[in-house]
Amino acid sequence: MRAAQTFRTALASLALLLLALSSSTPAQAQPRQPQQAVPNVTVSHAPQALELAVGRSIIVNSDQDIRRISLAAPDTADVLLLSPRQVYLTGKAPGATNLTLWGAGEAVMAIFDLDVSPDQTQLKRMLASVLPNERGIRVVSSGKTILLTGSVSSAPSLATALSLAETFAPGKVQNLLSVGGVQQVMLEVRVAEMSRNVLQRLGIDFNLLAGGNIVQSLLGQFTTEASDGKISPTKSVGAIVKPNLGGGNILNAYIDALKENGLVKVLAEPNLICISGKSASFLAGGEIPIPIPQALGTVAIEYKPFGVGLNFTPMVLDSGRISIQVNPEVSELDYSLGVTINSWQIPGLTTRRASTTVELASGQSFAIAGLIKDSTRESIKKFPGLGDLPVLGALFRSSEFRKNETELVIIVTPHLVKPLDMAKQTLPTDGFKEPTPYEFFVTGQLEGKPGAARPSQTSPSQASPLSQTPGQGREGRPTGSAGFDGPFGAALPAGE
């Protein structure tokens, strides 16, 4: 009897052992999701971090049976209990929530801080497809926000990356990208103009005084008559002839005969440096005050700029190409186009202006304005009938011939530039030496005798904020070392 009871006890113990093994085997034999991190839960009351993307799922395995589950924000994620020891989580919307697990005896097993972020996989694939050469872009999610970090090679690539990110998280994109490479652009503009004009003018006005009678011609308006009857010639009169005809008869002839040749040369070379994507402006000239009549007899002053002006906005593209919007302008005062307002003589402005947007590589040039203008004006004023006489008709005519020829070229060259060392550069003032009292008062020299150049005041450790393209020279340009009495110009570095 005792042996049989011992045998039955052993069989019961073996059955309980097999039952325990069979109950734990299914939970451990559950297959894991491919390429998914399956965290194991350990008993802890401190929150543990758990990250999940929208539309993605994750399985949480537990070493103990789970009695109860609580999810703080069901709109952020879904939770499903697969078995007593497995929890299935699915991200629904970006946000943050808490997942709490209870075990036996209603004791808290673990608390998770669940962070559901937008799906980065599709955004990363789009960035790699659209910008295959940009390997430095990093995508990081924080709640509902997408952070773009790293670097890109150009500003257009930066704009493209931000546009793609906005399609996945509208209004939730933070730009932490930096633009690499050279982003400073120097614009070299050359404005060259040659203008020639020819003027030929011939006119005759006369008055005849005979026995108190006056016969006067005012065709050319070479004279003015005062209130007392006195006649005065104007500035346009070149000669006055007064023959005495006898008998108290006097003939006054006012002759306007002029031949004028003019030549105008304009050469301007403004250079300006700007960061990619920003605008820069430059003006070498001045401003003229223009009075503007107001109410109650008051006068306001408005200033109009003139001179050599430049406005441009560069954009550095991929492969070192530059897209540039440029607006050069060259203007000068012209009193022949002026007006008189309340006894103020206001000059006009002769302006050459251009505006365009082009794309080219660093160092390439383009002409944005090429103007050849040839104008001829002929005018004849004459008395009807008398002005058509073969010889004497010249006394009754006023003729003017004017011819203008203008040729204008504007050439623009952008360069990608870097800072240079001021200690290796020279200035126009480096070759200047003040004259001694003997040289200035006795010999009349504006500069002293050429000697050793004075040392530069800039230490070798200092760097200039100016920039230029290394290796680009301008041969044949005179330097400032010859002084005012010889050739003049900007002193450029050796080899520049």
Side-chain angles (χ1 to χ4, degrees):
M1 288 293 294
R2 182 171 296 183
Q5 186 177 0
T6 302
F7 180 72
R8 285 195 299 269
T9 302
L11 288 178
S13 300
L14 181 60
L16 291 175
L17 180 60
L18 292 176
L19 180 61
L21 291 176
S22 62
S23 62
S24 61
T25 300
Q28 296 178 355
Q30 290 289 336
R32 295 185 178 183
Q33 297 293 332
Q35 299 181 353
Q36 293 287 338
V38 182
N40 292 320
V41 177
T42 58
V43 178
S44 174
H45 295 281
Q48 305 177 41
L50 192 62
E51 295 181 356
L52 186 61
V54 175
R56 303 288 177 171
S57 61
I58 192 173
I59 295 178
V60 178
N61 290 330
S62 175
D63 295 336
Q64 303 177 16
D65 290 345
I66 301 173
R67 300 295 184 181
R68 186 155 55 95
I69 299 175
S70 174
L71 188 62
D75 295 338
T76 303
D78 277 337
V79 60
L80 177 63
L81 185 62
L82 297 179
S83 69
R85 298 191 178 188
Q86 281 190 334
V87 178
Y88 186 80
L89 293 175
T90 303
K92 295 174 60 178
T97 184
N98 292 109
L99 175 66
T100 307
L101 304 181
W102 283 268
E106 296 297 326
V108 177
M109 295 174 51
I111 301 175
F112 290 97
D113 286 337
L114 183 59
D115 186 7
V116 182
S117 60
D119 188 12
Q120 307 174 13
T121 305
Q122 190 174 0
L123 176 58
K124 293 179 179 179
R125 290 176 181 173
M126 291 295 296
L127 291 173
S129 176
V130 178
L131 302 172
N133 297 325
E134 301 294 344
R135 302 296 183 181
I137 302 178
R138 300 290 181 268
V139 181
V140 180
S141 298
S142 177
K144 299 180 180 181
T145 304
I146 291 182
L147 304 178
L148 296 182
T149 63
S151 62
V152 291
S153 61
S154 63
S157 297
L158 172 61
T160 302
L162 293 177
S163 178
L164 291 175
E166 283 289 338
T167 60
F168 289 91
K172 303 294 183 180
V173 179
Q174 293 294 328
N175 176 27
L176 301 179
L177 291 170
S178 61
V179 181
V182 179
Q183 299 298 316
Q184 292 186 120
V185 179
M186 182 184 73
L187 193 68
E188 179 183 0
V189 180
R190 297 183 181 182
V191 181
E193 179 184 8
M194 291 294 296
S195 178
R196 302 176 181 88
N197 60 80
V198 177
L199 174 63
Q200 295 180 2
R201 189 171 61 206
L202 177 62
I204 299 176
D205 276 355
F206 65 90
N207 58 50
L208 176 63
L209 284 73
N213 299 317
I214 300 177
V215 178
Q216 183 173 344
S217 169
L218 299 176
L219 183 65
Q221 297 181 354
F222 301 150
T223 60
T224 59
E225 184 177 2
S227 59
D228 57 356
K230 184 178 180 180
I231 298 176
S232 302
T234 61
K235 294 182 180 180
S236 61
V237 174
I240 301 176
V241 180
K242 294 184 177 182
N244 190 351
L245 303 180
N249 299 323
I250 300 176
L251 175 64
N252 296 325
Y254 303 95
I255 302 175
D256 177 23
L258 177 65
K259 182 177 181 180
E260 181 181 27
N261 294 329
L263 176 64
V264 178
K265 173 189 175 184
V266 177
L267 178 62
E269 296 189 20
N271 296 334
L272 199 60
I273 298 176
C274 182
I275 297 178
S276 175
K278 302 296 182 179
S279 298
S281 60
F282 170 85
L283 176 64
E287 294 183 345
I288 56 173
I290 300 177
I292 301 177
Q294 303 291 322
L296 303 178
T298 61
V299 177
I301 301 297
E302 179 179 346
Y303 288 87
K304 178 70 174 179
F306 71 94
V308 180
L310 175 63
N311 295 277
F312 81 105
T313 303
M315 180 68 70
V316 180
L317 306 178
D318 298 333
S319 304
R321 297 186 66 83
I322 305 172
S323 175
I324 180 170
Q325 179 182 1
V326 58
N327 303 280
E329 178 178 320
V330 179
S331 59
E332 58 185 352
L333 301 180
D334 189 350
Y335 283 89
S336 64
L337 303 176
V339 296
T340 302
I341 302 178
N342 295 338
S343 71
W344 286 311
Q345 182 68 23
I346 310 300
L349 290 176
T350 300
T351 305
R352 281 78 70 194
R353 181 186 297 118
S355 178
T356 186
T357 301
V358 296
E359 179 181 332
L360 70 168
S362 176
Q364 292 181 342
S365 301
F366 64 97
I368 62 175
L371 171 64
I372 298 178
K373 180 181 179 181
D374 189 345
S375 63
T376 302
R377 294 182 180 179
E378 299 177 355
S379 63
I380 298 178
K381 300 177 182 179
K382 59 184 178 181
F383 283 103
L386 297 178
D388 296 328
L389 295 177
V391 177
L392 298 178
L395 300 175
F396 304 95
R397 288 195 302 262
S398 178
S399 305
E400 179 176 318
F401 174 83
R402 186 185 300 269
K403 182 178 179 64
N404 294 324
E405 295 179 352
T406 302
E407 184 175 358
L408 171 66
V409 176
I410 301 178
I411 299 178
V412 179
T413 306
H415 304 278
L416 293 175
V417 295
K418 296 181 179 179
L420 54 85
D421 188 359
M422 186 60 187
K424 299 180 181 179
Q425 311 306 315
T426 58
L427 300 176
T429 57
D430 290 345
F432 175 76
K433 182 179 180 182
E434 296 181 359
T436 62
Y438 174 81
E439 292 173 338
F440 183 75
F441 292 105
V442 179
T443 63
Q445 297 181 8
L446 298 178
E447 296 185 42
K449 294 181 180 180
R454 296 184 179 182
S456 175
Q457 301 297 326
T458 306
S459 62
S461 61
Q462 293 176 338
S464 170
L466 301 178
S467 305
Q468 69 182 32
T469 304
Q472 181 186 2
R474 300 179 186 172
E475 299 180 358
R477 290 288 302 274
T479 62
S481 59
F484 293 106
D485 297 330
F488 60 91
L492 300 179
E496 292 297 315

